[in-house]
Amino acid sequence: MIKDSIQQNENITPNSRQLEVLKEHFPSCFKADGSFDMERLKAEIAGTTNVVQEGYELKFLGKSYAKLLASTETTTVIQPNEAHNSLPENASSENIYISGDNLDGLKHLLKSYNGAIKCIYIDPPYNTGSDGFVYADNFNYTKETLQEKLSVSEDEAERILDLTKRGSASHSAWLMFMYSRLLLAKDLLSNDGVIFISIDNNEQANLRLICDEVFGEENFIENFLWTKTSTPPSLSTKSRKTSEYVLCYERYRNDYKYNGDVLSGGDQPLLNSGNSIRTLIFPKDKIRFNKSKFPDGKYLPQQPDRVSLKNEITIKDGIPDQDVILEGPFKWDEDNLKSEIDLGTTFIIKSEIFSIRFLSTKEGFKRPKNYISEMIITPAINKESNGVGTNENASTEIEELFGSRVFDFTKPTTLIGYLLNFVVQEEDIICDFFSGSATTAHSVFNLNAADEGKRKFISVQLPELLSPEIDSQRAAYEFLKENNLPTTLDYIGIERIKRAAVKIKEEHPDKEMDLGFKHYILQEPNQNTLDKLDSFDKASLLADTTIMEEFGKPTILATWLNADGYGLTVQAEAIDLAGYTAYYCQKHLYLIDPGFTLESMKALLSKYDAEGHFNPENMVLFGYSFPDWSINEMIEKNLRILNDGEKNLKINFTVRY
């Protein structure tokens, strides 16, 4: 819990995360006193990699501070929105919306979703000077603490604090903000996972450099260019800005082929320059010739260009009299050719140089171009799009759902859907930790509606307080106020998801889809609670029930379940132990309330003995409810009896604060 995290953070350094990875995989490189031996590591990897002494990296003020923030434990707790989560459409939903700082959100998600996210899409602040980005945090480090933890000079510590305390929109502040979050995001991705990041010219070059460092330069895939508007402003005297970028990195680069535009059924080239020269035999009933280019007659073996005709054929009305043997740099070998023919693929030769093309009946995709152009020039309400839209289309989507433009600079669902379709399969998890107006969540709904998939989203959004005094926030503020909703940015996203769900259900009444979501709020304990945690006396023999009440039992359970790897969509089962309620989930049994007695212990032992399926391997106590060590000793004593018994159980006992 919170006190445990605070104590753990006291010993955290900027390289703590990296050292943990090294300890896991290279334990022999650490000496008895915990010091790291670089020479041992070099010996371990000798012969497998080229160790170089020079390199290139982006350095900026606050880089070590960003690493420190990524290494510390969050002191927030996960509070479930019980009224929302208990609604029929949400009770069994596997979609998740988190209201809170995304740095804390990522740290919580890593407890249960490490390596489980197939795709991350984020649209972070662009640092344009007018997009509202100002770096600010509440970690309250002193100058002396930073000097010690970061091994920096007094001057550098002061400059870092200047960025964090006063708020800054400098390049260094933006990089510090993004770097810590990307370090955490990488660990969320599955081994075949992909991240897409929208960005403009202001920070694109810097973002590319820090992504090269975080994800590895070898895992860079593409810098896609997206046409964001069909009506660019003419304010600049140099160029009209019509495009933005989408950086794409994989966790580990692989051979998986991305899905771009759907094959339209038109013919596609079979030639591929650079391939090995192959000889293929095309059945005469599967190949046709362009009549205007191939008049009726006999055709001898020849090589007019890259493709050679290897046998003599006679063509009449575009149809050959026998199988056609061609040699050239083809994409397929003979086995691929036979497989395609079995699927109904046919072939056509349009020109005299025998450049053969294929027509496939199966659904397929072209590889995406690095230039994602918009297909719709004029946005129109209720007009179905068949391509990647622009900002104008995004505004139309918002107006259709809300009745007014309550959010500026959002992305169109067609763009997000297009990117997700590159790699996302029907049951994958997609994460967006700069959720904004929840375009990504809406896009996931759209994809599932199209193919009845079971993709799931995790959205995280800072509950930024909106103001009617700020022009760009006024419409959102007034909408939330009129609808009796909290006037924070996260509720725009929450409301969009609800409205998108209603719209999709109306359009697809017969389809069974998960159109709900679980909602959680990340709460930082108030100072009164922190004071109680700090002054709690284990020897007082009095349970401090006020601490439990201030957190709330649902919050404690949700935080613990996630911390123990069960995620945010599971529910613990209430177990009655002689009048005491414990909470059970797979390998864990949680004791949160005070009042656990010897009779409760006997009931628990009986349950272990009588019910074969009941076998939690970990018992966790909420320390503030159990200050009397005699209770803890009684539990430990009986667990030792269980562990030494015939069942040979191994039950771990933990007290959390």
Side-chain angles (χ1 to χ4, degrees):
M1 283 295 288
I2 304 306
K3 193 168 184 178
D4 298 328
S5 296
I6 291 172
Q7 291 174 346
Q8 183 178 340
N9 287 342
E10 290 177 359
N11 299 317
I12 290 293
T13 61
N15 61 356
S16 290
R17 295 177 74 250
Q18 292 85 346
L19 286 174
E20 285 301 316
V21 173
L22 288 171
K23 283 179 182 177
E24 179 182 357
H25 297 287
F26 299 98
S28 63
C29 299
F30 289 83
K31 297 180 180 179
D33 62 358
S35 59
F36 178 66
D37 191 328
M38 178 60 75
E39 295 306 316
R40 286 187 186 179
L41 179 62
K42 289 181 180 179
E44 286 274 356
I45 63 177
T48 62
T49 188
N50 180 27
V51 180
V52 297
Q53 300 298 322
E54 57 185 52
Y56 175 74
E57 65 174 314
L58 176 65
K59 293 186 177 181
F60 55 90
L61 177 65
K63 187 174 184 180
S64 58
Y65 179 75
K67 290 181 179 180
L68 176 65
L69 296 187
S71 298
T72 55
E73 286 287 333
T74 176
T75 55
T76 59
V77 291
I78 304 171
Q79 178 185 353
N81 183 340
E82 293 185 85
H84 171 91
N85 295 351
S86 62
L87 293 173
E89 64 269 28
N90 303 320
S92 60
S93 177
E94 294 187 79
N95 299 311
I96 297 166
Y97 191 98
I98 298 173
S99 296
D101 189 307
N102 55 17
L103 190 64
D104 294 312
L106 288 167
K107 290 175 182 179
H108 281 297
L109 289 174
L110 282 169
K111 304 290 186 182
S112 281
Y113 299 92
N114 190 318
I117 306 298
K118 180 61 174 290
C119 184
I120 295 173
Y121 170 81
I122 55 173
D123 185 15
Y126 285 3
N127 202 19
T128 62
S130 60
D131 63 356
F133 170 75
V134 175
Y135 185 93
D137 68 35
N138 59 351
F139 293 97
N140 297 320
Y141 288 110
T142 65
K143 178 178 62 178
E144 291 74 22
T145 301
L146 288 187
Q147 283 182 259
E148 178 185 350
K149 284 185 172 289
L150 307 183
S151 299
V152 297
S153 66
E154 180 180 354
D155 176 65
E156 186 171 349
E158 287 180 346
R159 291 167 63 207
I160 292 172
L161 285 176
D162 188 57
L163 288 182
T164 64
K165 300 299 182 186
R166 299 183 189 179
S168 172
S170 67
H171 288 298
S172 290
W174 190 88
L175 289 166
M176 187 167 67
F177 172 76
M178 290 298 298
Y179 192 68
S180 55
R181 287 155 174 80
L182 292 175
L183 285 171
L184 298 171
K186 176 187 176 182
D187 291 341
L188 278 179
L189 287 173
S190 59
N191 287 342
D192 60 349
V194 180
I195 185 170
F196 297 102
I197 309 174
S198 284
I199 198 66
D200 73 348
N201 268 329
N202 289 281
E203 297 290 357
Q204 184 268 339
N206 288 331
L207 179 62
R208 174 76 185 270
L209 287 174
I210 61 171
C211 284
D212 280 350
E213 183 171 325
V214 171
F215 298 101
E217 188 175 356
E218 70 278 10
N219 296 315
F220 168 73
I221 300 302
E222 188 56 86
N223 189 10
F224 292 102
L225 191 65
W226 166 60
T227 302
K228 68 174 183 176
T229 179
S230 55
T231 56
S234 302
L235 301 177
S236 172
T237 59
K238 306 301 180 185
S239 69
R240 302 177 71 193
K241 300 185 184 304
T242 63
S243 301
E244 289 181 0
Y245 305 96
V246 182
L247 283 180
C248 175
Y249 284 79
E250 292 182 344
R251 174 70 185 269
Y252 298 110
R253 193 180 182 99
N254 55 64
D255 294 330
Y256 180 82
K257 293 182 178 180
Y258 285 12
N259 296 328
D261 297 325
V262 177
L263 288 172
S264 63
D267 52 271
Q268 305 292 321
L270 188 57
L271 293 174
N272 193 7
S273 297
N275 274 1
S276 300
I277 301 299
R278 297 186 172 102
T279 299
L280 299 178
I281 301 174
F282 297 89
K284 61 181 180 180
D285 60 334
K286 300 294 183 182
I287 189 169
R288 294 292 181 267
F289 290 81
N290 186 325
K291 295 180 184 180
S292 64
K293 300 294 183 180
F294 291 91
D296 292 352
K298 185 180 293 185
Y299 292 81
L300 301 175
Q302 55 189 285
Q303 185 176 0
D305 195 48
R306 291 183 296 168
V307 178
S308 302
L309 174 64
K310 307 301 289 185
N311 62 323
E312 180 181 314
I313 59 174
T314 298
I315 298 175
K316 184 176 181 180
D317 293 328
I319 302 172
D321 66 335
Q322 58 185 297
D323 295 348
V324 179
I325 305 173
L326 299 177
E327 182 183 82
F330 298 126
K331 296 178 180 179
W332 303 337
D333 58 19
E334 191 67 32
D335 289 338
N336 296 134
L337 177 65
K338 290 178 180 177
S339 297
E340 288 292 333
I341 289 173
D342 289 342
L343 292 171
T345 299
T346 57
F347 305 89
I348 185 170
I349 296 179
K350 294 183 175 181
S351 66
E352 300 94 329
I353 60 175
F354 288 87
S355 182
I356 189 167
R357 301 174 71 86
F358 67 94
L359 296 91
S360 177
T361 58
K362 67 178 182 180
E363 183 179 357
F365 299 88
K366 304 175 186 176
R367 299 289 81 78
K369 302 185 295 291
N370 71 334
Y371 182 80
I372 307 174
S373 61
E374 55 98 3
M375 304 286 285
I376 307 165
I377 303 302
T378 305
I381 294 177
N382 297 322
K383 180 178 180 181
E384 290 295 325
S385 64
N386 60 354
V388 177
T390 61
N391 281 336
E392 291 91 342
N393 299 111
S395 296
T396 297
E397 288 179 323
I398 290 290
E399 289 174 4
E400 285 181 337
L401 289 175
F402 289 91
S404 63
R405 187 184 298 185
V406 299
F407 197 93
D408 292 325
F409 310 116
T410 188
K411 296 296 187 289
T413 54
T414 47
L415 171 64
I416 312 303
Y418 186 75
L419 295 170
L420 296 182
N421 193 58
F422 287 179
V423 294
V424 170
Q425 303 300 312
E426 291 185 3
E427 296 191 10
D428 287 334
I429 305 174
I430 298 98
C431 179
D432 182 349
F433 52 89
F434 286 97
S435 179
S437 67
T439 307
T440 300
H442 189 173
S443 302
V444 171
F445 280 172
N446 286 344
L447 289 175
N448 287 339
D451 62 9
E452 298 187 65
K454 296 181 179 180
R455 303 168 188 84
K456 297 167 278 290
F457 68 77
I458 300 176
S459 299
V460 186
Q461 177 56 46
L462 182 72
E464 177 186 350
L465 190 63
L466 301 175
S467 170
E469 306 302 320
I470 300 175
D471 289 344
S472 61
Q473 298 180 5
R474 186 176 299 114
Y477 175 89
E478 290 175 352
F479 168 84
L480 294 171
K481 195 76 173 176
E482 289 170 4
N483 288 275
N484 296 314
L485 295 169
T487 54
T488 52
L489 181 56
D490 53 325
Y491 272 87
I492 290 293
I494 288 170
E495 191 64 18
R496 178 179 185 170
I497 298 172
K498 292 179 180 179
R499 290 172 179 239
V502 170
K503 183 173 184 290
I504 290 171
K505 189 64 178 175
E506 290 174 351
E507 294 170 349
H508 305 277
D510 299 327
K511 290 186 177 181
E512 290 293 328
M513 292 177 284
D514 180 358
L515 293 172
F517 62 98
K518 295 284 201 315
H519 180 212
Y520 297 92
I521 303 99
L522 303 185
Q523 294 284 14
E524 191 79 53
N526 58 44
Q527 190 58 50
N528 180 54
T529 302
L530 290 173
D531 291 341
K532 288 183 179 181
L533 300 183
D534 187 54
S535 61
F536 177 72
D537 182 5
K538 299 186 184 71
S540 67
L541 302 183
L542 292 173
D544 193 337
T545 56
T546 62
I547 291 179
M548 184 182 71
E549 290 166 1
E550 287 175 16
F551 283 120
K553 194 188 304 182
T555 296
I556 296 169
L557 263 178
T559 304
W560 281 5
L561 287 168
N562 180 72
D564 291 326
Y566 299 117
L568 291 168
T569 58
V570 299
Q571 296 292 321
E573 177 188 356
I575 300 291
D576 179 65
L577 300 174
Y580 179 87
T581 302
Y583 297 89
Y584 171 52
C585 185
Q586 298 180 31
K587 296 183 178 181
H588 284 76
L589 185 70
Y590 301 108
L591 309 183
I592 299 174
D593 293 298
F596 189 84
T597 65
L598 180 59
E599 293 304 313
S600 304
M601 190 73 228
K602 289 178 181 178
L604 176 60
L605 295 176
S606 176
K607 197 170 185 65
Y608 266 108
D609 186 57
E611 301 179 18
H613 67 278
F614 181 81
N615 189 25
E617 300 172 7
N618 304 278
M619 188 177 298
V620 183
L621 274 69
F622 188 55
Y624 305 105
S625 296
F626 295 86
D628 185 348
W629 283 106
S630 63
I631 300 293
N632 294 11
E633 289 173 359
M634 180 267 288
I635 293 174
E636 287 188 280
K637 178 182 177 181
N638 282 279
L639 289 182
R640 282 197 297 271
I641 295 173
L642 269 181
N643 288 342
D644 295 337
E646 293 181 1
K647 285 192 173 183
N648 193 29
L649 300 174
K650 300 295 180 185
I651 304 170
N652 302 307
F653 179 65
T654 307
V655 181
R656 292 176 180 168
Y657 292 95

